[in-house]
């Protein structure tokens, strides 16, 4: 088709309701109804060029993912998060093709950049699932792409407290890096090793490995995200070791300066949280509160449940003995946000003592009934309600857990989950792709604040009784 005919052809397909035109802000997208999509795919598969079409689709989304990665630390960060989020079905389809084609390198060039999206949206389990599948396809020779994927998988794994798997990924990465001369390879491994040290409470190991990575990361122009993350984690290691707190603050101030200069939000939110913890431990509650409020606002911008949980949890510690009911509610909200991401609200073990002290203090000052009621109030909050409560904004009326509005299609999928159907069986019943069915299930779990299909089934039964 000549380029000049393209718009007329698209317009004709829209007129026939074969393509559906949708506006998302200033962006226009087109989609197919599921039945037409399935029919079109079946017809395309009968042609010799079907594999070439899938390859072109994969290459387009590989370029998109890599461009997003290159521009992520910058003023377009929120745009990229929104675009990647809307493109997830296409990105999943392109990664499925890579798996079917046994092409680990191409798959990892899509999956690894998506850690920026998955991390900010709390999709840790999905990130691990894709990365594990591609990493199981061992490369013929060690590559930076493969090492980056091992590091990304390690970060997500440690956030979910799977420490044995995290250590195994670091060991695999080190064996590969030893076969390479690129200093970035060894810096990536040191950074990943530092992550394992921090998340397992081995602060000496964490600090030494992260320190060793710094000189290389400072010289690497294309490693700004890794440098920012490494500096933040190094600051945490210094802070928790509690020997020279000013070193931690120096790290955070450098990260905040970099992120402000680049108009960045995601990493800045985490640095604000870490700086707030440092200031609170030094006794400056007022400054700590201000930093946390700024951090949770930024995390809300990108719908980041992990970042919001971090800030809300520390705000609970600050409330502590002065407002135990508020502390209990904030702890419950942080717990619920962490559950959405499949991660605890306090994932650095050396900080757990503050959570325990806060809970004990609140329990001493309240009756058991009042404390549990406050915590349940927090657990029932979604991300928007939790942040509004933490900031003292006007709080919209919260609904009980599981009362979020589902679309008509999501309601159908929920009913089939209650029947005990698998994603494959749901796809067959509704005449949609298995990947689309999986996407609906994930959206339902997120909207309802659940972590398992059994909870969805129980919710469906309850809704039937009350309707």
């Amino acid at each position: 088709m000549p380029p000049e005919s393209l718009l007329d052809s698209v317009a004709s397909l829209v007129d026939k309701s074969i393509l559906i035109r949708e506006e998302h802000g200033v962006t226009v997208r087109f989609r197919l109804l599921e039945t037409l999509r399935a029919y079109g795919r079946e017809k395309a598969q009968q042609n010799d060029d079907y594999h070439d079409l899938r390859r072109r689709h994969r290459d387009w989304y590989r370029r998109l993912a890599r461009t997003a990665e290159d521009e992520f630390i910058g003023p377009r960060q929120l745009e990229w998060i929104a675009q990647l989020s809307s493109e997830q079905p296409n990105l999943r389809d392109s990664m499925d093709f890579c798996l079917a084609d046994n092409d680990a390198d191409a798959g990892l060039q899509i999956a690894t950049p998506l850690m920026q999206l998955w991390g900010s949206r709390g999709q840790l389990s999905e990130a691990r699932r894709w990365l594990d599948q591609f990493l199981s396809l061992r490369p013929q020779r060690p590559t930076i792409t493969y090492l980056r994927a091992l590091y990304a998988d390690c970060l997500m794994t440690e956030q979910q407290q799977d420490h044995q798997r995290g250590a195994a990924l670091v060991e695999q990465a080190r064996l590969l890096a030893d076969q390479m001369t690129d200093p970035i390879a060894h810096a990536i491994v040191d950074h990943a090793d530092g992550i394992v040290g921090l998340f397992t409470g081995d602060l000496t190991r964490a600090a030494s490995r992260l320190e060793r990575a710094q000189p290389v990361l400072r010289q690497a122009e294309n490693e700004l995200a890794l440098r920012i993350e490494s500096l933040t984690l190094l600051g945490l290691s210094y802070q928790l070791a509690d020997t020279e707190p000013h070193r931690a603050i120096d790290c955070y101030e450098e990260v905040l300066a970099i992120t402000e200069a680049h108009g960045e939000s995601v990493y800045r939110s985490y640095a604000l949280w870490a700086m707030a913890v440092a200031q609170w431990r030094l006794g400056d509650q007022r400054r700590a509160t201000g930093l946390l409020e700024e951090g949770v606002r930024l995390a809300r911008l990108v719908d980041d449940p992990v970042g919001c949980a971090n800030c809300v949890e520390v705000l609970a510690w600050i409330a502590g003995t002065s407002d135990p009911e508020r502390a209990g509610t904030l702890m419950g909200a942080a717990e619920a946000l962490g559950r959405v991401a499949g991660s605890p609200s306090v994932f650095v073990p050396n900080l757990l003592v503050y959570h325990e002290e806060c809970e004990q203090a609140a329990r001493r000052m309240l009756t058991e009934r009042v404390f549990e009621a406050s915590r349940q109030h927090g657990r029932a909050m979604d991300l928007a309600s939790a942040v509004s409560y933490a900031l003292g904004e006007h709080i919209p009326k919260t609904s009980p857990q599981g009362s979020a509005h589902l679309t008509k299609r999501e309601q159908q999928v929920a009913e089939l989950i209650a029947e005990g159907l698998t994603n494959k069986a749901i796809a067959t019943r509704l005449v949609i792709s298995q990947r689309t069915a999986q996407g609906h299930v994930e959206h339902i779990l997120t909207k309802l604040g659940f972590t398992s299909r059994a909870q969805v089934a129980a919710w469906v039964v309850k809704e039937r009784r009350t309707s």
Side-chain angles (χ1 to χ4, degrees):
M1 180 182 297
E4 59 271 15
S5 303
L6 179 60
L7 289 178
D8 288 340
S9 298
V10 169
S12 175
L13 292 171
V14 171
D15 290 341
K16 295 179 176 66
S17 297
I18 293 173
L19 281 181
I20 309 299
R21 184 183 187 276
E22 296 179 340
E23 291 188 19
H24 299 268
V26 297
T27 304
V28 174
R29 298 175 60 84
F30 299 90
R31 66 179 178 86
L32 285 167
L33 295 173
E34 289 293 341
T35 49
L36 290 176
R37 177 181 171 84
Y39 174 77
R41 184 182 289 266
E42 181 182 339
K43 287 294 183 183
Q45 286 171 340
Q46 297 171 7
N47 297 327
D48 293 337
D49 62 350
Y50 178 68
H51 185 274
D52 183 58
L53 289 171
R54 293 292 307 276
R55 180 186 57 76
R56 287 165 57 193
H57 178 273
R58 177 206 67 194
D59 289 346
W60 198 94
Y61 281 97
R62 176 166 57 177
R63 287 193 298 273
L64 179 75
R66 294 174 73 172
T67 303
E69 183 180 38
D70 291 340
E71 298 182 3
F72 192 79
I73 307 298
R76 293 194 60 209
Q77 185 179 74
L78 299 181
E79 294 176 40
W80 276 118
I81 289 174
Q83 183 172 356
L84 291 176
S85 183
S86 67
E87 292 285 8
Q88 281 197 86
N90 279 309
L91 290 160
R92 288 170 180 141
D93 197 56
S94 64
M95 288 187 289
D96 272 333
F97 175 70
C98 293
L99 287 172
D101 229 26
N102 210 36
D103 191 342
D105 196 58
L108 290 175
Q109 288 176 28
I110 300 171
T112 306
L114 287 182
M115 69 170 284
Q116 312 279 16
L117 172 69
W118 287 324
S120 66
R121 289 296 169 88
Q123 295 173 269
L124 307 180
S125 296
E126 178 170 3
R128 292 181 62 186
R129 186 165 62 249
W130 284 111
L131 290 168
D132 284 346
Q133 289 183 89
F134 286 121
L135 289 170
S136 67
L137 307 174
R138 299 297 179 94
Q140 295 180 345
R141 57 183 179 80
T143 64
I144 291 292
T145 297
Y146 199 84
L147 280 177
R148 287 186 191 283
L150 287 167
Y151 138 71
D153 203 0
C154 176
L155 176 61
M156 306 293 177
T157 296
E158 286 296 331
Q159 283 187 264
Q160 293 194 318
Q161 297 189 313
D162 188 352
H163 303 311
Q164 186 175 0
R165 171 65 175 163
L169 288 166
V170 169
E171 183 58 28
Q172 185 181 350
R174 193 171 297 285
L175 290 172
L176 290 176
D178 286 342
Q179 304 173 45
M180 304 171 69
T181 57
D182 190 340
I184 287 295
H186 297 277
I188 291 172
V189 174
D190 285 333
H191 177 68
D193 202 358
I195 289 172
V196 173
L198 181 63
F199 282 72
T200 56
D202 188 345
L203 300 178
T204 301
R205 173 185 177 183
S208 66
R209 302 300 190 276
L210 292 166
E211 284 173 345
R212 197 160 63 190
Q214 293 309 305
V216 176
L217 296 179
R218 286 182 184 279
Q219 296 297 319
E221 295 181 2
N222 298 325
E223 300 297 339
L224 191 55
L226 201 60
R227 178 186 168 193
I228 292 171
E229 183 182 289
S230 191
L231 269 172
T232 304
L233 298 182
L234 180 58
L236 266 177
S237 303
Y238 289 152
Q239 179 187 152
L240 297 173
D242 207 24
T243 52
E244 298 178 70
H246 71 275
R247 291 201 299 171
I249 291 173
D250 288 344
C251 289
Y252 303 147
E253 286 180 343
E254 185 175 352
V255 171
L256 293 174
I258 295 170
T259 54
E260 183 177 13
H262 287 79
E264 195 275 340
S265 301
V266 174
Y267 289 104
R268 184 176 182 81
S269 173
Y270 285 88
L272 288 165
W273 161 76
M275 176 71 95
V277 175
Q279 296 297 336
W280 174 66
R281 294 178 76 209
L282 291 171
D284 194 343
Q285 289 195 8
R286 185 173 181 178
R287 187 174 181 208
T289 300
L291 291 165
L292 290 167
E293 289 176 349
E294 184 184 350
V296 80
R297 286 190 181 98
L298 289 175
R300 176 170 60 182
L301 279 176
V302 294
D303 291 327
D304 180 358
V306 178
C308 287
N310 286 342
C311 294
V312 169
E313 174 71 26
V314 181
L315 284 168
W317 304 347
I318 293 174
T321 56
S322 63
D323 192 344
E325 282 193 58
R326 175 174 168 80
T329 301
L330 289 169
M331 282 193 288
E335 181 185 336
L337 290 169
R339 187 170 62 244
V340 168
S343 171
S345 56
V346 183
F347 51 74
V348 179
N350 300 77
L351 293 175
L352 274 172
V353 62
Y354 302 114
H355 173 90
E356 293 164 358
E357 288 175 354
C358 181
E359 181 173 342
Q360 290 167 8
R363 286 184 181 278
R364 282 196 303 268
M365 299 178 69
L366 302 171
T367 65
E368 184 67 18
R369 183 185 64 81
V370 172
F371 175 77
E372 286 301 329
S374 67
R375 187 155 68 175
Q376 286 301 325
H377 176 52
R379 285 173 174 168
M381 292 179 178
D382 60 13
L383 188 147
S385 299
V387 173
S388 291
Y389 179 83
L391 294 173
E393 298 172 345
H394 172 69
I395 305 170
K397 186 176 179 181
T398 57
S399 303
Q401 187 183 47
S403 63
H405 176 69
L406 300 184
T407 65
K408 184 178 178 180
R409 174 64 91 186
E410 288 167 349
Q411 187 66 46
Q412 289 177 313
V413 173
E415 294 283 347
L416 296 177
I417 291 173
E419 292 181 25
L421 272 63
T422 63
N423 288 352
K424 184 176 182 181
I426 291 172
T428 301
R429 180 79 67 87
L430 298 179
V431 197
I432 58 178
S433 70
Q434 188 172 339
R435 179 62 60 200
T436 300
Q438 179 182 326
H440 285 315
V441 173
E442 289 170 354
H443 290 157
I444 291 167
L445 290 171
T446 300
K447 280 188 176 182
L448 299 181
F450 293 152
T451 57
S452 70
R453 300 168 80 95
Q455 289 174 296
V456 176
W459 174 80
V460 169
V461 172
K462 183 179 177 182
E463 289 290 300
R464 287 171 182 164
R465 288 174 182 165
T466 55
S467 62

